PDB file of all heavy atoms in Angstrom:
ATOM      1  N   GLY A 283      -6.954 -16.699  51.550  1.00 98.00           N
ATOM      2  CA  GLY A 283      -7.254 -15.326  51.186  1.00 98.00           C
ATOM      3  C   GLY A 283      -6.450 -14.892  49.978  1.00 98.00           C
ATOM      4  O   GLY A 283      -5.688 -15.674  49.402  1.00 98.00           O
ATOM      5  N   GLY A 284      -6.635 -13.635  49.608  1.00 98.00           N
ATOM      6  CA  GLY A 284      -5.925 -13.117  48.443  1.00 98.00           C
ATOM      7  C   GLY A 284      -6.000 -11.610  48.358  1.00 98.00           C
ATOM      8  O   GLY A 284      -6.885 -10.978  48.933  1.00 98.00           O
ATOM      9  N   ILE A 285      -5.047 -11.037  47.632  1.00 98.00           N
ATOM     10  CA  ILE A 285      -4.998  -9.596  47.404  1.00 98.00           C
ATOM     11  C   ILE A 285      -4.705  -9.357  45.926  1.00 98.00           C
ATOM     12  O   ILE A 285      -3.753  -9.938  45.380  1.00 98.00           O
ATOM     13  CB  ILE A 285      -3.894  -8.917  48.246  1.00 98.00           C
ATOM     14  CG1 ILE A 285      -4.149  -9.120  49.750  1.00 98.00           C
ATOM     15  CG2 ILE A 285      -3.806  -7.424  47.922  1.00 98.00           C
ATOM     16  CD1 ILE A 285      -3.025  -8.597  50.635  1.00 98.00           C
ATOM     17  N   CYS A 286      -5.511  -8.538  45.292  1.00 98.00           N
ATOM     18  CA  CYS A 286      -5.169  -8.079  43.950  1.00 98.00           C
ATOM     19  C   CYS A 286      -4.764  -6.619  44.037  1.00 98.00           C
ATOM     20  O   CYS A 286      -5.526  -5.775  44.523  1.00 98.00           O
ATOM     21  CB  CYS A 286      -6.341  -8.232  42.981  1.00 98.00           C
ATOM     22  SG  CYS A 286      -5.847  -7.941  41.260  1.00 98.00           S
ATOM     23  N   VAL A 287      -3.552  -6.325  43.611  1.00 98.00           N
ATOM     24  CA  VAL A 287      -3.059  -4.948  43.602  1.00 98.00           C
ATOM     25  C   VAL A 287      -3.591  -4.296  42.337  1.00 98.00           C
ATOM     26  O   VAL A 287      -3.101  -4.538  41.231  1.00 98.00           O
ATOM     27  CB  VAL A 287      -1.521  -4.914  43.645  1.00 98.00           C
ATOM     28  CG1 VAL A 287      -1.018  -3.480  43.531  1.00 98.00           C
ATOM     29  CG2 VAL A 287      -1.023  -5.548  44.941  1.00 98.00           C
ATOM     30  N   THR A 288      -4.647  -3.503  42.493  1.00 98.00           N
ATOM     31  CA  THR A 288      -5.332  -2.894  41.355  1.00 98.00           C
ATOM     32  C   THR A 288      -6.092  -1.659  41.819  1.00 98.00           C
ATOM     33  O   THR A 288      -6.500  -1.568  42.978  1.00 98.00           O
ATOM     34  CB  THR A 288      -6.317  -3.881  40.702  1.00 98.00           C
ATOM     35  OG1 THR A 288      -6.990  -3.235  39.614  1.00 98.00           O
ATOM     36  CG2 THR A 288      -7.371  -4.362  41.701  1.00 98.00           C
ATOM     37  N   ALA A 289      -6.276  -0.732  40.910  1.00 97.00           N
ATOM     38  CA  ALA A 289      -7.158   0.404  41.168  1.00 97.00           C
ATOM     39  C   ALA A 289      -8.360   0.346  40.238  1.00 97.00           C
ATOM     40  O   ALA A 289      -8.992   1.367  39.964  1.00 97.00           O
ATOM     41  CB  ALA A 289      -6.408   1.726  41.021  1.00 97.00           C
ATOM     42  N   SER A 290      -8.642  -0.855  39.718  1.00 96.00           N
ATOM     43  CA  SER A 290      -9.839  -1.109  38.923  1.00 96.00           C
ATOM     44  C   SER A 290      -9.980  -0.125  37.767  1.00 96.00           C
ATOM     45  O   SER A 290      -9.129  -0.059  36.895  1.00 96.00           O
ATOM     46  CB  SER A 290     -11.073  -1.091  39.836  1.00 96.00           C
ATOM     47  OG  SER A 290     -12.228  -1.465  39.145  1.00 96.00           O
ATOM     48  N   HIS A 291     -11.059   0.668  37.797  1.00 95.00           N
ATOM     49  CA  HIS A 291     -11.379   1.572  36.686  1.00 95.00           C
ATOM     50  C   HIS A 291     -10.857   2.987  36.903  1.00 95.00           C
ATOM     51  O   HIS A 291     -11.103   3.859  36.072  1.00 95.00           O
ATOM     52  CB  HIS A 291     -12.897   1.629  36.506  1.00 95.00           C
ATOM     53  CG  HIS A 291     -13.606   2.101  37.749  1.00 95.00           C
ATOM     54  ND1 HIS A 291     -13.930   1.242  38.780  1.00 95.00           N
ATOM     55  CD2 HIS A 291     -14.014   3.332  38.141  1.00 95.00           C
ATOM     56  CE1 HIS A 291     -14.525   1.937  39.741  1.00 95.00           C
ATOM     57  NE2 HIS A 291     -14.579   3.196  39.388  1.00 95.00           N
ATOM     58  N   ASN A 292     -10.155   3.226  37.994  1.00 96.00           N
ATOM     59  CA  ASN A 292      -9.724   4.592  38.298  1.00 96.00           C
ATOM     60  C   ASN A 292      -8.667   5.097  37.315  1.00 96.00           C
ATOM     61  O   ASN A 292      -8.000   4.314  36.646  1.00 96.00           O
ATOM     62  CB  ASN A 292      -9.165   4.660  39.719  1.00 96.00           C
ATOM     63  CG  ASN A 292     -10.249   4.688  40.763  1.00 96.00           C
ATOM     64  OD1 ASN A 292     -10.990   3.727  40.923  1.00 96.00           O
ATOM     65  ND2 ASN A 292     -10.362   5.783  41.484  1.00 96.00           N
ATOM     66  N   PRO A 293      -8.483   6.427  37.247  1.00 96.00           N
ATOM     67  CA  PRO A 293      -7.468   6.996  36.355  1.00 96.00           C
ATOM     68  C   PRO A 293      -6.060   6.502  36.681  1.00 96.00           C
ATOM     69  O   PRO A 293      -5.811   5.901  37.734  1.00 96.00           O
ATOM     70  CB  PRO A 293      -7.606   8.502  36.601  1.00 96.00           C
ATOM     71  CG  PRO A 293      -9.006   8.692  37.083  1.00 96.00           C
ATOM     72  CD  PRO A 293      -9.301   7.460  37.893  1.00 96.00           C
ATOM     73  N   LYS A 294      -5.128   6.814  35.784  1.00 97.00           N
ATOM     74  CA  LYS A 294      -3.794   6.207  35.825  1.00 97.00           C
ATOM     75  C   LYS A 294      -2.989   6.526  37.075  1.00 97.00           C
ATOM     76  O   LYS A 294      -2.097   5.754  37.450  1.00 97.00           O
ATOM     77  CB  LYS A 294      -3.001   6.650  34.595  1.00 97.00           C
ATOM     78  CG  LYS A 294      -2.780   8.157  34.497  1.00 97.00           C
ATOM     79  CD  LYS A 294      -2.096   8.521  33.198  1.00 97.00           C
ATOM     80  CE  LYS A 294      -1.898  10.032  33.062  1.00 97.00           C
ATOM     81  NZ  LYS A 294      -1.283  10.372  31.760  1.00 97.00           N
ATOM     82  N   GLU A 295      -3.275   7.639  37.734  1.00 98.00           N
ATOM     83  CA  GLU A 295      -2.466   8.009  38.901  1.00 98.00           C
ATOM     84  C   GLU A 295      -2.837   7.199  40.153  1.00 98.00           C
ATOM     85  O   GLU A 295      -2.172   7.322  41.186  1.00 98.00           O
ATOM     86  CB  GLU A 295      -2.595   9.501  39.196  1.00 98.00           C
ATOM     87  CG  GLU A 295      -4.003   9.993  39.439  1.00 98.00           C
ATOM     88  CD  GLU A 295      -4.685  10.494  38.174  1.00 98.00           C
ATOM     89  OE1 GLU A 295      -4.272  10.095  37.068  1.00 98.00           O
ATOM     90  OE2 GLU A 295      -5.638  11.294  38.306  1.00 98.00           O
ATOM     91  N   TYR A 296      -3.839   6.366  40.070  1.00 98.00           N
ATOM     92  CA  TYR A 296      -4.308   5.617  41.247  1.00 98.00           C
ATOM     93  C   TYR A 296      -3.630   4.254  41.378  1.00 98.00           C
ATOM     94  O   TYR A 296      -3.203   3.659  40.405  1.00 98.00           O
ATOM     95  CB  TYR A 296      -5.827   5.406  41.176  1.00 98.00           C
ATOM     96  CG  TYR A 296      -6.614   6.613  41.635  1.00 98.00           C
ATOM     97  CD1 TYR A 296      -6.820   7.690  40.772  1.00 98.00           C
ATOM     98  CD2 TYR A 296      -7.160   6.675  42.912  1.00 98.00           C
ATOM     99  CE1 TYR A 296      -7.533   8.808  41.182  1.00 98.00           C
ATOM    100  CE2 TYR A 296      -7.886   7.783  43.325  1.00 98.00           C
ATOM    101  CZ  TYR A 296      -8.062   8.843  42.463  1.00 98.00           C
ATOM    102  OH  TYR A 296      -8.772   9.944  42.869  1.00 98.00           O
ATOM    103  N   THR A 297      -3.571   3.796  42.626  1.00 98.00           N
ATOM    104  CA  THR A 297      -3.212   2.425  42.945  1.00 98.00           C
ATOM    105  C   THR A 297      -4.209   1.943  43.983  1.00 98.00           C
ATOM    106  O   THR A 297      -5.051   2.706  44.465  1.00 98.00           O
ATOM    107  CB  THR A 297      -1.771   2.327  43.472  1.00 98.00           C
ATOM    108  OG1 THR A 297      -1.415   0.946  43.626  1.00 98.00           O
ATOM    109  CG2 THR A 297      -1.614   3.026  44.820  1.00 98.00           C
ATOM    110  N   GLY A 298      -4.140   0.662  44.342  1.00 98.00           N
ATOM    111  CA  GLY A 298      -5.086   0.170  45.328  1.00 98.00           C
ATOM    112  C   GLY A 298      -5.021  -1.326  45.478  1.00 98.00           C
ATOM    113  O   GLY A 298      -4.122  -1.998  44.936  1.00 98.00           O
ATOM    114  N   MET A 299      -5.985  -1.878  46.219  1.00 98.00           N
ATOM    115  CA  MET A 299      -6.043  -3.326  46.471  1.00 98.00           C
ATOM    116  C   MET A 299      -7.485  -3.759  46.654  1.00 98.00           C
ATOM    117  O   MET A 299      -8.290  -3.048  47.262  1.00 98.00           O
ATOM    118  CB  MET A 299      -5.269  -3.695  47.745  1.00 98.00           C
ATOM    119  CG  MET A 299      -3.802  -3.367  47.740  1.00 98.00           C
ATOM    120  SD  MET A 299      -3.063  -3.875  49.311  1.00 98.00           S
ATOM    121  CE  MET A 299      -1.469  -3.052  49.176  1.00 98.00           C
ATOM    122  N   LYS A 300      -7.786  -4.958  46.132  1.00 97.00           N
ATOM    123  CA  LYS A 300      -9.018  -5.655  46.463  1.00 97.00           C
ATOM    124  C   LYS A 300      -8.608  -6.882  47.266  1.00 97.00           C
ATOM    125  O   LYS A 300      -7.757  -7.665  46.825  1.00 97.00           O
ATOM    126  CB  LYS A 300      -9.787  -6.042  45.208  1.00 97.00           C
ATOM    127  CG  LYS A 300     -10.323  -4.823  44.441  1.00 97.00           C
ATOM    128  CD  LYS A 300     -11.132  -5.221  43.223  1.00 97.00           C
ATOM    129  CE  LYS A 300     -11.677  -3.985  42.507  1.00 97.00           C
ATOM    130  NZ  LYS A 300     -12.477  -4.339  41.298  1.00 97.00           N
ATOM    131  N   ILE A 301      -9.189  -7.023  48.437  1.00 97.00           N
ATOM    132  CA  ILE A 301      -8.740  -8.020  49.409  1.00 97.00           C
ATOM    133  C   ILE A 301      -9.879  -8.983  49.725  1.00 97.00           C
ATOM    134  O   ILE A 301     -11.021  -8.562  49.931  1.00 97.00           O
ATOM    135  CB  ILE A 301      -8.260  -7.325  50.708  1.00 97.00           C
ATOM    136  CG1 ILE A 301      -7.177  -6.279  50.388  1.00 97.00           C
ATOM    137  CG2 ILE A 301      -7.757  -8.346  51.716  1.00 97.00           C
ATOM    138  CD1 ILE A 301      -6.763  -5.440  51.585  1.00 97.00           C
ATOM    139  N   VAL A 302      -9.560 -10.275  49.752  1.00 97.00           N
ATOM    140  CA  VAL A 302     -10.566 -11.278  50.084  1.00 97.00           C
ATOM    141  C   VAL A 302     -10.034 -12.266  51.116  1.00 97.00           C
ATOM    142  O   VAL A 302      -8.822 -12.412  51.290  1.00 97.00           O
ATOM    143  CB  VAL A 302     -11.043 -12.068  48.836  1.00 97.00           C
ATOM    144  CG1 VAL A 302     -11.760 -11.145  47.870  1.00 97.00           C
ATOM    145  CG2 VAL A 302      -9.877 -12.769  48.134  1.00 97.00           C
ATOM    146  N   ARG A 303     -10.984 -12.923  51.779  1.00 96.00           N
ATOM    147  CA  ARG A 303     -10.668 -13.993  52.718  1.00 96.00           C
ATOM    148  C   ARG A 303     -10.894 -15.340  52.043  1.00 96.00           C
ATOM    149  O   ARG A 303     -11.134 -15.413  50.844  1.00 96.00           O
ATOM    150  CB  ARG A 303     -11.572 -13.864  53.957  1.00 96.00           C
ATOM    151  CG  ARG A 303     -11.299 -12.649  54.815  1.00 96.00           C
ATOM    152  CD  ARG A 303     -12.279 -12.598  55.977  1.00 96.00           C
ATOM    153  NE  ARG A 303     -13.615 -12.191  55.539  1.00 96.00           N
ATOM    154  CZ  ARG A 303     -14.734 -12.629  56.081  1.00 96.00           C
ATOM    155  NH1 ARG A 303     -14.703 -13.513  57.055  1.00 96.00           N
ATOM    156  NH2 ARG A 303     -15.908 -12.200  55.648  1.00 96.00           N
ATOM    157  N   ARG A 304     -10.843 -16.394  52.813  1.00 96.00           N
ATOM    158  CA  ARG A 304     -11.101 -17.739  52.294  1.00 96.00           C
ATOM    159  C   ARG A 304     -12.472 -17.783  51.611  1.00 96.00           C
ATOM    160  O   ARG A 304     -13.419 -17.171  52.070  1.00 96.00           O
ATOM    161  CB  ARG A 304     -11.047 -18.752  53.432  1.00 96.00           C
ATOM    162  CG  ARG A 304     -11.099 -20.198  52.957  1.00 96.00           C
ATOM    163  CD  ARG A 304     -10.826 -21.182  54.091  1.00 96.00           C
ATOM    164  NE  ARG A 304     -10.723 -22.542  53.574  1.00 96.00           N
ATOM    165  CZ  ARG A 304      -9.628 -23.067  53.053  1.00 96.00           C
ATOM    166  NH1 ARG A 304      -8.516 -22.334  53.014  1.00 96.00           N
ATOM    167  NH2 ARG A 304      -9.608 -24.295  52.584  1.00 96.00           N
ATOM    168  N   GLY A 305     -12.552 -18.508  50.507  1.00 92.00           N
ATOM    169  CA  GLY A 305     -13.802 -18.558  49.758  1.00 92.00           C
ATOM    170  C   GLY A 305     -14.022 -17.332  48.897  1.00 92.00           C
ATOM    171  O   GLY A 305     -15.110 -17.138  48.364  1.00 92.00           O
ATOM    172  N   ALA A 306     -13.017 -16.497  48.755  1.00 94.00           N
ATOM    173  CA  ALA A 306     -13.087 -15.252  47.978  1.00 94.00           C
ATOM    174  C   ALA A 306     -14.108 -14.276  48.553  1.00 94.00           C
ATOM    175  O   ALA A 306     -14.641 -13.429  47.841  1.00 94.00           O
ATOM    176  CB  ALA A 306     -13.387 -15.536  46.503  1.00 94.00           C
ATOM    177  N   LEU A 307     -14.361 -14.368  49.858  1.00 93.00           N
ATOM    178  CA  LEU A 307     -15.251 -13.413  50.516  1.00 93.00           C
ATOM    179  C   LEU A 307     -14.530 -12.078  50.678  1.00 93.00           C
ATOM    180  O   LEU A 307     -13.396 -12.031  51.153  1.00 93.00           O
ATOM    181  CB  LEU A 307     -15.689 -13.937  51.885  1.00 93.00           C
ATOM    182  CG  LEU A 307     -16.890 -14.882  51.908  1.00 93.00           C
ATOM    183  CD1 LEU A 307     -17.030 -15.504  53.297  1.00 93.00           C
ATOM    184  CD2 LEU A 307     -18.167 -14.130  51.548  1.00 93.00           C
TER     185      LEU A 307
END
């Protein structure tokens, strides 16, 4: 699995995460 600590396209005050399992699901 994996986690990217990102808020993608959101404004600067945001934080967040995109989380995946095995196979990048």
Side-chain angles (χ1 to χ4, degrees):
I285 299 174
C286 190
V287 176
T288 179
S290 186
H291 59 276
N292 282 65
K294 61 185 178 183
E295 57 268 22
Y296 279 81
T297 187
M299 299 180 192
K300 293 182 179 180
I301 305 173
V302 295
R303 292 178 286 147
R304 189 171 187 83
L307 275 170

